[in-house]
Amino acid sequence: MSAPTISLVLGSGGARGYAHIGAIEELRAQGYDIKSIAGASMGALVGGVYAAGKLDVYRDWVMALQRMDVVRLLDWTFRGGLIKGDRIVGKLKDMIGEVNIEDLPISYTAVAVDLMAQREVWFSRGALFDAIRASIAIPTVLRPHRYQGRLLVDGGLLNPVPITPTLRDLTDCTIAIDVNAQAEPLNGDGELAPDMLTEDHADTEALPAAPDGATPMLVEGGTEGEAGTDATQAPGYRQRIAEFIDSFKRDKKVVQAEPGILELFARSLDVVQETVTRFKLAAQPPDLVVRIPRNACAFYEFHRAEEVIELGRVRTREALRNFRLPTKS
């Protein structure tokens, strides 16, 4: 029996796009044959690297990146964006080599946006790195890519999960990896985010409970009790306990950390991307969607490759567990 063929759609989402690596590896491990890839932004990058046959090289490189390694890859500018992007693309070219899309062994489409015409641009031929560079140009972060007289930016701006380029594919099914899915508690215990602490919580942390079997505190003289008297019987001690308990009855204001500029931009981008993604998937639903929650990491946390790759692998495995190929009419 031949392996089931799939069209793979890889969504935009910055560093969360590392999950695409784990997803591709899990699909291959389970015997799926990827015949076509359409991607936007980080999805276009990972998809292009895979189509060029260099996913293992790229994976090993990103998994070794530390925070300062990422910083050293940034070539700062303040004209058209914060980062030129030449250093990043140059590193990828050294790793993968110059490739034309039409020479790739599988069908590949990268989606970008023509900022002046306000429309999508699909790269299905030409230099692979022109396609990738255009598709990853997050507005204000990465400088737009000028190509054949057009000013091109991140494809996720209009189409975070580009299903449309795969509609004519003669494959058994279409699988989309959405890395802008609804946030969820990844550790499973539903804890609040670390930037949402209350004054009550701070008070509680400051007064840890005494360990089991601990000896009661003794008052050594003074008017609150005789030496050797159990402190829990002293009136002053009881009063302090009562005041402490009473303090919890007062209304407490939430102490909420103000996000910095980058964090504010990241959260705003996530909100927009999730909304547009939801509409796109509703309009053109694929056969299967693998969902990566948007709080898996921020779009700029490119030093967290290992855990995000593994999350993509696990979520793909879970999604495939009960998946059945659609029957052909």
Side-chain angles (χ1 to χ4, degrees):
M1 182 178 178
S2 60
T5 59
I6 62 172
S7 298
L8 186 60
V9 180
L10 303 177
S12 64
R16 290 190 299 277
Y18 282 146
H20 297 319
I21 300 173
I24 289 172
E25 290 181 342
E26 184 63 25
L27 287 166
R28 296 290 296 157
Q30 295 205 26
Y32 289 88
D33 185 9
I34 301 171
K35 290 294 189 182
S36 168
I37 289 181
S41 194
M42 191 65 172
L45 193 160
V46 174
V49 171
Y50 170 75
K54 299 289 185 177
L55 188 65
D56 54 344
V57 177
Y58 177 72
R59 179 202 59 219
D60 293 344
W61 177 64
V62 297
M63 286 181 65
L65 288 176
Q66 301 298 313
R67 195 186 301 265
M68 287 309 300
D69 296 323
V70 175
V71 172
R72 282 190 284 268
L73 285 170
L74 306 180
D75 41 2
W76 298 100
T77 182
F78 294 95
R79 299 180 61 184
L82 296 175
I83 303 164
K84 292 179 183 178
D86 297 342
R87 194 173 297 168
I88 298 170
V89 172
K91 179 66 177 178
L92 292 172
K93 284 182 178 179
D94 291 342
M95 193 184 310
I96 296 162
E98 294 281 3
V99 184
N100 285 329
I101 296 173
E102 55 267 34
D103 296 330
L104 296 173
I106 63 174
S107 173
Y108 170 83
T109 303
V111 177
V113 171
D114 185 328
L115 201 56
M116 299 299 107
Q118 300 179 12
R119 57 182 292 182
E120 292 179 34
V121 174
W122 296 358
F123 284 85
S124 55
R125 61 173 59 89
L128 175 63
F129 281 102
D130 273 324
I132 290 175
R133 178 61 182 83
S135 191
I136 65 173
I138 302 173
T140 75
V141 176
L142 206 62
R143 194 161 62 185
H145 184 57
R146 290 194 175 274
Y147 180 76
Q148 296 184 354
R150 297 180 176 184
L151 191 64
L152 303 177
V153 296
D154 195 317
L157 193 64
L158 291 181
N159 200 346
V161 277
I163 305 288
T164 312
T166 68
L167 293 181
R168 292 187 178 181
D169 290 345
L170 300 176
T171 53
D172 294 323
C173 67
T174 299
I175 297 177
I177 315 297
D178 170 21
V179 295
N180 296 301
Q182 187 174 2
E184 58 184 80
L186 294 175
N187 54 10
D189 56 15
E191 290 182 352
L192 290 175
D195 62 343
M196 293 291 290
L197 300 178
T198 64
E199 292 174 358
D200 297 80
H201 181 72
D203 289 342
T204 305
E205 292 283 57
L207 292 164
D212 293 338
T215 303
M217 181 177 66
L218 301 180
V219 178
E220 298 182 1
T223 60
E224 293 184 357
E226 299 298 328
T229 301
D230 188 339
T232 60
Q233 304 301 316
Y237 184 87
R238 289 197 300 270
Q239 182 179 351
R240 290 195 297 272
I241 291 295
E243 289 172 353
F244 175 70
I245 294 174
D246 185 62
S247 70
F248 283 92
K249 298 179 182 179
R250 306 189 191 107
D251 292 335
K252 291 292 182 179
K253 183 174 68 175
V254 173
V255 180
Q256 192 168 1
E258 289 292 333
I261 294 176
L262 185 58
E263 182 66 21
L264 183 61
F265 178 80
R267 293 187 185 185
S268 302
L269 183 65
D270 287 347
V271 169
V272 173
Q273 294 262 290
E274 184 191 357
T275 302
V276 177
T277 297
R278 192 164 62 247
F279 280 111
K280 289 292 185 180
L281 290 176
Q284 295 176 327
D287 298 299
L288 177 67
V289 180
V290 177
R291 303 185 189 278
I292 309 298
R294 69 172 187 267
N295 61 327
C297 72
F299 84 91
Y300 54 83
E301 294 183 305
F302 287 96
H303 59 285
R304 297 177 59 185
E306 184 172 1
E307 61 188 282
V308 180
I309 290 171
E310 183 60 25
L311 179 62
R313 190 190 323 279
V314 170
R315 289 302 175 95
T316 302
R317 187 179 304 142
E318 291 172 352
L320 290 172
R321 186 169 294 133
N322 298 315
F323 176 63
R324 297 293 179 268
L325 290 172
T327 57
K328 297 182 179 180
S329 54

